[in-house]
Amino acid sequence: NAGVMQNPRHLVRRRGQEARLRCSPMKGHSHVYWYRQLPEEGLKFMVYLQKENIIDESGMPKERFSAEFPKEGPSILRIQQVVRGDSAAYFCASSPTGDVTQYFGPGTRLLVL
Amino acid sequence: QKEVEQDPGPLSVPEGAIVSLNCTYSNSAFQYFMWYRQYSRKGPELLMYTYSSGNKEDGRFTAQVDKSSKYISLFIRDSQPSDSATYLCAMEDNFNKFYFGSGTKLNVKP
């Protein structure tokens, strides 16, 4: 059973461009969480999704950020008009039932020039 | 005030030592308490979790929760160089939302 997959692993964008981060959960998992991690800091919750539903997006900035988890395909975290402050590692985690047993992907490291 | 506070370290110990890692929290609604290990440039890996107060042991690892003091601990016995990593505590608020500490960097010297 493949683990949580994220791609790309590294992404470089210039200010003002769009960043699209993808997360394929473990097989059979229908719950996905996205987190942001800045250097020397812990994980900050961004959004919690189930298939086709956003359950909690309270940790996600209201502007420029959006997330989806369609019925088919990976979960996508989209950042429009990126700024330097968006540079961070973005992790997704999947869970079979939304409980505490979350499995994390390897992360996408976004660098905004 | 942060929801979860964790000393960033770094903590450096000799191989074989007992390691104590700690977190404090402010939200009395937290019920699940987790410990993750994160190696450099990797995603976090769940080590163990505890529900409510009490102790839980798994091999060389013991997790303790003291809800009255809002304090949790992870003990590592007979520490090994392979235990060198950043350890993150995390808590869940009964609404499937998770709060992480900033992590403690541990270095176990051979």
Side-chain angles (χ1 to χ4, degrees), chain A residues 33-36 44-46 90-91 102 104, chain B residues 98 100:
Chain A
Y33 294 80
W34 284 94
Y35 295 88
R36 177 163 64 179
K44 294 284 194 296
F45 166 81
M46 297 182 74
Y90 292 83
F91 290 93
Q102 295 187 33
F104 279 82
Chain B
F98 296 81
F100 283 77

Side-chain angles (χ1 to χ4, degrees), chain A residues 15-82:
Chain A
R15 281 179 296 169
Q17 291 184 321
E18 179 180 287
R20 279 192 178 226
L21 288 61
R22 293 175 186 77
C23 169
S24 295
M26 289 180 71
K27 189 176 180 180
H29 288 193
S30 59
H31 299 248
V32 165
Y33 294 80
W34 284 94
Y35 295 88
R36 177 163 64 179
Q37 186 175 40
L38 293 169
E40 309 304 322
E41 290 190 19
L43 296 159
K44 294 284 194 296
F45 166 81
M46 297 182 74
V47 61
Y48 166 38
L49 310 111
Q50 292 181 27
K51 286 276 188 183
E52 300 183 276
N53 283 309
I54 297 175
I55 306 301
D56 184 344
E57 57 182 347
S58 60
M60 200 157 64
K62 300 238 182 310
E63 296 179 1
R64 302 190 298 108
F65 285 73
S66 62
E68 62 177 9
F69 188 15
K71 188 176 178 182
E72 302 289 339
S75 175
I76 307 281
L77 179 67
R78 184 180 176 208
I79 311 173
Q80 295 178 291
Q81 298 176 322
V82 296

Side-chain angles (χ1 to χ4, degrees), chain A residues 10 33 35 37 42-43 45 48 56 58 91 98-100 102 104-105 109, chain B residues 32 34 36 38 41-44 46 49 88 92 96-98 100-102:
Chain A
H10 300 274
Y33 294 80
Y35 295 88
Q37 186 175 40
L43 296 159
F45 166 81
Y48 166 38
D56 184 344
S58 60
F91 290 93
D99 66 12
V100 299
Q102 295 187 33
F104 279 82
R109 280 154 184 83
Chain B
Y32 283 94
M34 288 77 71
Y36 286 83
Q38 186 176 22
R41 314 293 283 178
K42 304 284 187 187
L46 179 65
Y49 68 90
L88 300 155
E92 193 258 354
N96 296 118
K97 193 168 173 182
F98 296 81
F100 283 77
S102 56

